[in-house]
Amino acid sequence: MTQRERQLLNWIEENPLISQQELAEKAGITRSSVAVHISNLMKKGCIAGKGYIVRTEPYAAVVGGVNMDIGGWPSESPVAHDSNPGRVRMSLGGVGRNIAHNMALLGMDVRLLTVFGDDLNAQKIAASCAELGIDVSHAPFLSGEHTSTYLFITDERGDMALAVSDMDIYQHLTPQFLAQRQKLLDGAQVVVADTNPPAQTLQYLAEHCAAPIFCDPVSTAKAEKIRPILGKLHTLKPNRIEAELFSGVKFTDEASLRLAAKTLLETGLRRVFISLGSDGVFAADHEGSVHLPVIPGTMVNTTGCGDAFMAAITWAYLQGTNLEGTARLGLAASSIAMESGETINPAMREEELLRRAKTGETA
């Protein structure tokens, strides 16, 4: 489905009796063009018969950030206050976008709620989402704003030397922003959120979203935004440091892991998946817990492993998978993700995910 078709379908869902002329005026196109789009939507099975009877397929909503990442890698030890030869690359990022990308590769219908600037970066990210089938028709392009951008420079060893994050645009992800899209949230089977939106927006989401909410804390600084609403979330995916922060329990052994998970679940959380890096994952719900080792893979880049893990456990939830099976699928997704030099591995597919989770082996 094209972005224009999605836009028209959204308006039709809001008002099934809207005329083609009204749609043309809203879209800024001719009535005959609208008629062609309506015909295509009917052929695709999205609209059944006259009166625009809309068939809505199950979908997931992602609330969070999109970034343009710009990285610089000096060829030699960098010299301050000077120009340094090396490599500069741009890539699409943002926790919300990365999770949505992985979900789309797994065959999920994904609606991404975010905000764009009115720059070339926004156009590039939106075009990529359209190619992937990620619906961004509810994400506005804000005049005079800059799309979230992350700039970093490494040293000669590849370790970060300096970074600048320009993410002020996320202040436009307000409670009002979500309220205007309440119908979309109400229709989702599951909502995945990162912590880039303001705290009050995440609180609104927790209080007004009927669907189960899966949350990625992103970082220790941003994680504090969700501390007051932990009990209203369904699933939390913290790393070791974030889990210690939320629970107040220092990890020293298996018993401390169980205590930390128990403390988190007592807030009202339904499930928690604590990422332990090379030590695997500790998963727990109100029925029990499991500690699983990592699934081996050829390590090329670990940047997108957490985003892949979140996408996989969301997919597993919609399949009705139990706690251990869900944790294995998350580990399998991380194993696939780290084998690519890019943040998102295009090899992320349902068949490979299931095979790797079952066998614990790479291809």
Side-chain angles (χ1 to χ4, degrees):
M1 185 185 301
T2 66
Q3 287 297 109
R4 176 67 77 186
E5 289 169 353
R6 282 196 181 277
Q7 183 184 53
L8 294 173
L9 191 59
N10 289 334
W11 288 331
I12 291 169
E13 288 176 339
E14 293 170 359
N15 179 14
L17 298 180
I18 192 171
S19 69
Q20 291 189 1
Q21 183 58 44
E22 289 174 310
L23 287 171
E25 292 172 357
K26 287 173 72 72
I29 58 178
T30 64
R31 184 179 182 280
S32 59
S33 296
V34 170
V36 171
H37 289 306
I38 295 297
S39 176
N40 290 336
L41 286 168
M42 293 179 72
K43 290 176 182 177
K44 294 176 181 178
C46 300
I47 295 176
K50 295 182 179 180
Y52 304 138
I53 301 170
V54 178
R55 291 176 176 161
T56 303
E57 297 296 330
Y59 64 88
V62 177
V63 180
V66 297
N67 283 352
M68 179 60 74
D69 294 336
I70 305 173
W73 293 266
S75 302
E76 301 175 353
S77 180
V79 178
H81 313 295
D82 198 1
S83 176
N84 292 266
R87 294 181 297 114
V88 176
R89 298 290 184 271
M90 300 176 66
S91 62
L92 308 187
V95 173
R97 194 216 69 86
N98 290 348
I99 293 171
H101 190 159
N102 280 291
M103 292 166 73
L105 291 177
L106 291 173
M108 298 175 65
D109 185 347
V110 189
R111 319 291 169 90
L112 179 58
L113 294 181
T114 190
V115 283
F116 294 105
D118 61 356
D119 47 28
L120 291 175
N121 289 341
Q123 296 176 26
K124 186 171 184 178
I125 297 171
S128 172
C129 287
E131 292 175 1
L132 292 164
I134 300 171
D135 182 355
V136 292
S137 61
H138 293 270
F141 291 74
L142 304 178
S143 178
E145 297 291 339
H146 296 283
T147 300
S148 178
T149 304
Y150 181 69
L151 169 68
F152 67 90
I153 299 174
T154 72
D155 59 21
E156 70 280 10
R157 297 181 301 275
D159 296 326
M160 183 189 297
L162 177 69
V164 178
S165 59
D166 180 359
M167 300 184 178
D168 288 346
I169 194 171
Y170 293 141
Q171 295 305 312
H172 292 279
L173 283 174
T174 62
Q176 292 74 22
F177 172 92
L178 292 184
Q180 293 167 0
R181 295 155 179 82
Q182 188 66 52
K183 186 175 180 180
L184 179 72
L185 293 172
D186 290 342
Q189 285 188 302
V190 62
V191 173
V192 180
D194 67 28
T195 52
N196 282 301
Q200 61 268 30
T201 303
L202 294 169
Q203 182 172 350
Y204 176 93
L205 183 66
E207 294 176 349
H208 294 84
C209 184
I213 302 173
F214 286 43
C215 189
D216 187 322
V218 178
S219 68
T220 53
K222 295 180 179 180
E224 285 296 336
K225 298 178 185 180
I226 60 171
R227 185 186 289 276
I229 59 171
L230 283 177
K232 296 179 180 179
L233 305 177
H234 182 284
T235 294
L236 184 71
K237 189 201 73 63
N239 61 23
R240 182 192 303 266
I241 299 175
E242 292 158 355
E244 290 180 340
L245 176 70
F246 284 133
S247 67
V249 177
K250 183 71 175 178
F251 294 170
T252 56
D253 53 20
E254 200 74 11
S256 60
L257 274 172
R258 286 194 294 271
L259 177 59
K262 179 176 180 291
T263 303
L264 290 172
L265 292 171
E266 286 174 348
T267 66
L269 276 167
R270 302 288 296 278
R271 280 182 170 182
V272 59
F273 296 84
I274 303 174
S275 174
L276 301 170
S278 60
D279 292 326
V281 65
F282 188 88
D285 60 16
H286 292 276
E287 304 299 323
S289 62
V290 61
H291 188 174
L292 299 177
V294 297
I295 292 178
T298 303
M299 200 276 282
V300 177
N301 174 26
T302 61
T303 303
C305 290
D307 302 328
F309 189 103
M310 176 60 90
I313 65 173
T314 306
W315 180 87
Y317 168 79
L318 296 178
Q319 306 301 313
T321 310
N322 64 19
L323 180 72
E324 181 174 346
T326 299
R328 289 190 186 281
L329 287 164
L331 290 168
S334 295
S335 174
I336 295 169
M338 74 177 182
E339 294 185 339
S340 172
E342 304 297 325
T343 303
I344 310 296
N345 190 343
M348 185 71 67
R349 291 291 188 272
E350 178 181 337
E351 297 78 8
E352 176 60 16
L353 183 72
L354 291 170
R355 187 197 67 79
R356 197 170 299 208
K358 182 178 180 179
T359 65
E361 299 175 353
T362 58

